[in-house]
Amino acid sequence: VERIPGEALPELKARSGGPGSPTVTIYDVAAAAGVAISTVSRVLNGFGNPRPETKERVLRAVKDLGFVPNGAARGLSSRTKATIGLVFVRTLTEGPVERMSLMFADSVIRGAERAAEAQGYSLLLRGVQINEAAEPINILTGKTDGLLLLERVIPERKIAELAKRFPVVTVSGSGGARHAVSVRADNNAGISSVVDHLVEHHHLTRLAFVTGASESPDSKQRANAMVSCAAAHGVSLGPDDVWQGDWTIGRAGQLVNEYLDSRKPLPEALVCANDETAIGVMHALMERGVQVPGDVAVVGFDDIPIARYLRPSLSTVNQPTERLGHVAFDTLIAMLSGATPARQILLPTTFIPRGSCGCG
Amino acid sequence: VERIPGEALPELKARSGGPGSPTVTIYDVAAAAGVAISTVSRVLNGFGNPRPETKERVLRAVKDLGFVPNGAARGLSSRTKATIGLVFVRTLTEGPVERMSLMFADSVIRGAERAAEAQGYSLLLRGVQINEAAEPINILTGKTDGLLLLERVIPERKIAELAKRFPVVTVSGSGGARHAVSVRADNNAGISSVVDHLVEHHHLTRLAFVTGASESPDSKQRANAMVSCAAAHGVSLGPDDVWQGDWTIGRAGQLVNEYLDSRKPLPEALVCANDETAIGVMHALMERGVQVPGDVAVVGFDDIPIARYLRPSLSTVNQPTERLGHVAFDTLIAMLSGATPARQILLPTTFIPRGSCGCG
DNA sequence: TTGTACGCGTTATCAG
DNA sequence: CTGATAACGCGTACAA
């Protein structure tokens, strides 16, 4: 089977069957109001100075007939679809138990949606499996005016290629692609403040880090920051002190259990790439009778809403997730009007000490 | 200022500025392949039996030029936008602390997105404030082929009106609107199994219920079910035993604190309209030294992923949130092809006993 | 100020 | 099997 771009249109069987009254067009409105369609268009879009009476008649007709402009026609004519696509990574697993918890993505989506509304745009949502995103993204190109790419949905090289011909902003991407603007949280500062706190305030020296999914730019940045910040404090993290997680609660628990089974001495603090991982770590630890923060301090990243309600409450790094989406969206819109924003936009992160590290 | 449907188009300033190469159209492809546009269209959409060589040439041109069909033009011509709108309620509060946690909505959205992909459709996301949804919804009507309405975004009456002329499926709505199909979880069965369990297994008789937002159909149904199921067991819930929550952790905690301050004796079990509420309740209770489940049993609703990782783990009613979205979407698509599905589609719920009620 | 007519990029209907 | 060509509904120069 050959690959055909644009994928076949879903076919509608009965045009008569379901609801959907005979579409009312701008012509109907014009007729009802006794004017030309151009007048209707002008009134609706606020151009020119229509005579009050004319305007009145048009608006009345619009209301009477329940006219709503056809977005497709609009888009075709105005060359602006007023729609932005947002692509996020969807995990493969279906199972209820180990379904990846993607609160981060959800939150970013919320922020983008908000911004979209404020700008009069629509948000088109598209989940993809990692490394199978090329075609979907290509198609989205035809339905939108620009694209928001969450995390590393496609290889950097492809992003660069795409961004050359289509407006693209990446959120929490690695930010290496030319032409594409990247918006992300200040991972370095976040991790740095965690390490500072752990070392200086709690005087801990044996630290370990649990990563997120291996391809994730955020995860990589946080891991790197962890290693270098620790080194800056004279604390060294060996390979054994960086545990490969995958963002999920389940995987985190698994890691902890394996470690405990190995009977190696636990580190004094476990810093996690995200809050879900921290939750999994805490849960597994306590399940095995290890006290948090008594025996091991645990710190997360993201500051999801429940973090403060856990027992112990979760020390974590707050990143403005909704704002990430919002800012990314606004940046994309700016690009559409010809602006060339900074290639990287960093949003601040702040460490929130709570119970799981021994504060609070 | 008068209200104008269709809201003005966002204006693009520099058509030259940003990226966006001179759009390649079907004409370009046709020219490059030395065929007519109709041939290109046929090849791409799989109609007719193009000569292999022709097909070959077309596909090569498509690839060479990086042609992607313009969605707007497609929609205009085929009268199918291949897009479904999903409208959800957005809370008013901005604050990071008391931002309502909407994991339920997020999950439904995920399900819908998945279904959309499987059907070759796109998902347009739109958040609205409650009772301010009429206009946004109306506009969406022009950009989509059908609408998914989450929770009670607009009054029942308006839904009925809308559904008469446009395909609509409500998710977790009250389901009273004619023409609109409603997909929701079996709240009655869910609550019923909770009450059965509490009364028969744990022999508790003094129960109370914490509601969600007052306008929410789900919340109402669960509250009603609670009252009648309790009554069926000879346990009566007075007005004082139904606490008015709003789905949020924060509000739940507040309720608990107020109740404790009043020095009234606590009920033996607190059944909550959703998991966030249960989390808030548990947290506040334990903060004040009340043991869960020792002094009070707590049960939630939804079975969000973290439920099982809380301490104590949260007993709750599982509802297939993603499936709600998925099924709703598929139903809508079915309607588009003329089908007339059952007016109500009920998805099963199952009680999951865990630590917070004394099991597990 | 208002109306006429063309273009936007596809799909779909006919002839050839 | 393929090529013209007419919609599709709206925005918009241009003419009146």
Side-chain angles (χ1 to χ4, degrees):
Chain A
V1 181
E2 307 212 41
R3 301 279 298 316
I4 297 175
E7 59 184 306
L9 281 172
E11 44 180 320
L12 296 200
K13 282 169 203 151
R15 177 118 219 88
S16 50
S21 37
T23 335
V24 19
T25 77
I26 199 174
Y27 285 95
D28 302 324
V29 176
V35 299
I37 63 163
S38 50
T39 302
V40 177
S41 178
R42 277 187 294 254
V43 170
L44 259 37
N45 295 307
F47 285 106
N49 266 27
R51 212 185 328 170
E53 186 211 313
T54 313
K55 187 172 174 179
E56 162 77 13
R57 283 222 310 274
V58 170
L59 290 178
R60 143 140 272 100
V62 166
K63 179 156 290 181
D64 287 351
L65 286 87
F67 169 69
V68 176
N70 178 323
R74 258 192 159 180
L76 183 54
S77 174
S78 66
R79 313 171 124 293
T80 295
K81 311 194 187 63
T83 299
I84 296 295
L86 166 2
V87 185
F88 65 95
V89 179
R90 193 164 45 196
T91 45
L92 307 124
T93 52
E94 261 275 23
V97 176
E98 232 16 284
R99 182 189 57 200
M100 181 168 172
S101 190
L102 293 173
M103 310 192 202
F104 170 72
D106 290 323
S107 190
V108 174
I109 290 172
R110 282 269 165 70
E113 192 282 325
R114 254 190 147 93
E117 188 217 326
Q119 304 261 13
Y121 273 73
S122 291
L123 222 218
L124 211 51
L125 210 57
R126 180 59 146 103
V128 296
Q129 294 184 357
I130 197 156
N131 288 338
E132 297 190 10
E135 198 191 343
I137 287 180
N138 198 30
I139 293 176
L140 273 187
T141 265
K143 311 185 80 171
T144 60
D145 300 322
L147 249 29
L148 253 28
L149 267 29
L150 230 70
E151 287 258 2
R152 202 209 69 129
V153 289
I154 45 172
E156 203 65 20
R157 182 177 45 77
K158 294 222 167 195
I159 295 184
E161 199 176 305
L162 171 65
K164 250 189 308 196
R165 56 183 180 85
F166 201 73
V168 171
V169 169
T170 66
V171 182
S172 294
S174 61
R178 278 186 300 277
H179 300 286
V181 172
S182 153
V183 177
R184 56 188 184 81
D186 192 341
N187 290 315
N188 283 306
I191 290 293
S192 173
S193 56
V194 169
V195 176
D196 285 356
H197 179 82
L198 258 23
V199 174
E200 292 171 6
H201 190 269
H202 294 288
H203 307 292
L204 306 181
T205 53
R206 297 184 18 254
L207 314 178
F209 182 74
V210 188
T211 76
S214 55
E215 345 76 43
S216 162
D218 262 345
S219 175
K220 285 183 197 160
Q221 287 172 11
R222 289 169 199 170
N224 289 339
M226 186 72 195
V227 171
S228 54
C229 290
H233 281 281
V235 177
S236 78
L237 261 68
D240 272 14
D241 304 320
V242 177
W243 305 1
Q244 274 297 332
D246 67 356
W247 294 132
T248 71
I249 295 181
R251 172 66 183 149
Q254 198 178 326
L255 284 170
V256 167
N257 283 318
E258 286 170 10
Y259 198 90
L260 289 175
D261 289 343
S262 78
R263 302 193 148 277
K264 282 184 279 195
L266 279 168
E268 293 171 324
L270 272 166
V271 180
C272 304
N274 73 337
D275 286 346
E276 279 95 323
T277 299
I279 292 173
V281 165
M282 285 208 295
H283 187 261
L285 247 21
M286 296 167 83
E287 201 88 314
R288 301 273 294 244
V290 180
Q291 298 298 317
V292 177
D295 300 324
V296 183
V298 174
V299 178
F301 205 112
D302 280 354
D303 194 21
I304 58 181
I306 356 103
R308 57 185 306 170
Y309 295 103
L310 298 169
R311 300 190 70 87
S313 58
L314 181 63
S315 298
T316 186
V317 175
N318 175 283
Q319 67 167 324
T321 46
E322 287 206 20
R323 266 190 68 208
L324 275 177
H326 202 117
V327 169
F329 193 97
D330 287 347
T331 305
L332 186 52
I333 298 303
M335 290 168 64
L336 291 183
S337 3
T340 34
R343 259 197 43 206
Q344 296 243 8
I345 298 177
L346 236 50
L347 262 36
T349 52
T350 61
F351 175 62
I352 314 281
R354 286 199 272 247
S356 66
C357 74
C359 297
Chain B
V1 180
E2 305 210 43
R3 300 281 296 316
I4 297 176
E7 61 184 311
L9 283 173
E11 44 181 319
L12 297 199
K13 281 167 202 152
R15 176 118 218 89
S16 49
S21 38
T23 335
V24 20
T25 76
I26 199 173
Y27 284 96
D28 302 323
V29 175
V35 299
I37 60 166
S38 45
T39 300
V40 177
S41 178
R42 274 187 299 253
V43 169
L44 259 37
N45 295 306
F47 285 106
N49 267 28
R51 212 185 329 166
E53 186 213 313
T54 312
K55 187 172 175 180
E56 164 76 13
R57 284 223 308 276
V58 170
L59 289 178
R60 143 139 273 100
V62 165
K63 180 155 289 181
D64 287 351
L65 284 76
F67 168 71
V68 176
N70 178 324
R74 256 193 161 178
L76 184 54
S77 176
S78 66
R79 310 168 127 299
T80 295
K81 311 192 186 66
T83 299
I84 296 296
L86 166 4
V87 184
F88 66 95
V89 179
R90 193 164 49 197
T91 45
L92 307 123
T93 52
E94 262 275 24
V97 177
E98 231 16 285
R99 182 190 57 201
M100 182 168 168
S101 189
L102 292 173
M103 310 192 203
F104 169 72
D106 290 322
S107 189
V108 174
I109 291 172
R110 282 268 164 71
E113 192 281 326
R114 253 189 146 95
E117 188 218 325
Q119 303 262 11
Y121 273 73
S122 291
L123 223 216
L124 212 51
L125 210 57
R126 180 60 146 102
V128 296
Q129 294 183 357
I130 196 155
N131 289 337
E132 296 189 10
E135 197 191 345
I137 286 181
N138 198 32
I139 293 175
L140 273 187
T141 266
K143 311 185 79 172
T144 60
D145 300 323
L147 250 27
L148 252 29
L149 268 28
L150 229 70
E151 288 258 2
R152 204 209 66 131
V153 289
I154 45 172
E156 204 65 21
R157 183 176 45 77
K158 294 220 168 196
I159 295 184
E161 200 176 305
L162 171 65
K164 248 187 312 195
R165 57 185 177 84
F166 200 74
V168 171
V169 169
T170 66
V171 182
S172 294
S174 61
R178 277 185 300 277
H179 300 286
V181 172
S182 153
V183 177
R184 57 187 182 79
D186 192 342
N187 290 316
N188 283 305
I191 290 293
S192 173
S193 56
V194 169
V195 176
D196 285 355
H197 180 81
L198 258 23
V199 174
E200 292 171 6
H201 190 269
H202 294 288
H203 307 293
L204 306 180
T205 54
R206 294 181 23 252
L207 315 179
F209 182 75
V210 188
T211 75
S214 55
E215 347 73 43
S216 161
D218 262 344
S219 174
K220 285 182 196 163
Q221 287 171 11
R222 288 169 200 170
N224 289 339
M226 185 72 194
V227 172
S228 52
C229 290
H233 281 281
V235 177
S236 78
L237 261 70
D240 272 15
D241 304 319
V242 177
W243 305 1
Q244 274 296 332
D246 67 356
W247 295 133
T248 71
I249 295 181
R251 173 64 182 149
Q254 199 177 327
L255 283 170
V256 166
N257 281 318
E258 285 170 9
Y259 198 91
L260 289 175
D261 289 343
S262 77
R263 305 195 145 276
K264 281 184 278 194
L266 280 169
E268 293 170 325
L270 273 166
V271 180
C272 304
N274 73 337
D275 286 346
E276 280 95 324
T277 299
I279 292 173
V281 164
M282 285 207 295
H283 187 261
L285 247 22
M286 295 167 83
E287 201 88 315
R288 300 273 294 247
V290 180
Q291 298 299 317
V292 176
D295 300 324
V296 183
V298 174
V299 178
F301 204 111
D302 281 353
D303 195 20
I304 59 180
I306 357 103
R308 57 184 309 170
Y309 296 102
L310 298 170
R311 300 188 68 87
S313 57
L314 181 63
S315 298
T316 186
V317 176
N318 175 283
Q319 66 167 324
T321 47
E322 287 207 19
R323 266 190 67 208
L324 276 177
H326 202 118
V327 169
F329 193 98
D330 288 346
T331 305
L332 187 50
I333 298 304
M335 289 168 64
L336 291 184
S337 4
T340 34
R343 260 195 43 206
Q344 297 243 7
I345 297 177
L346 236 51
L347 263 36
T349 53
T350 61
F351 175 60
I352 314 281
R354 285 199 273 248
S356 67
C357 73
C359 297

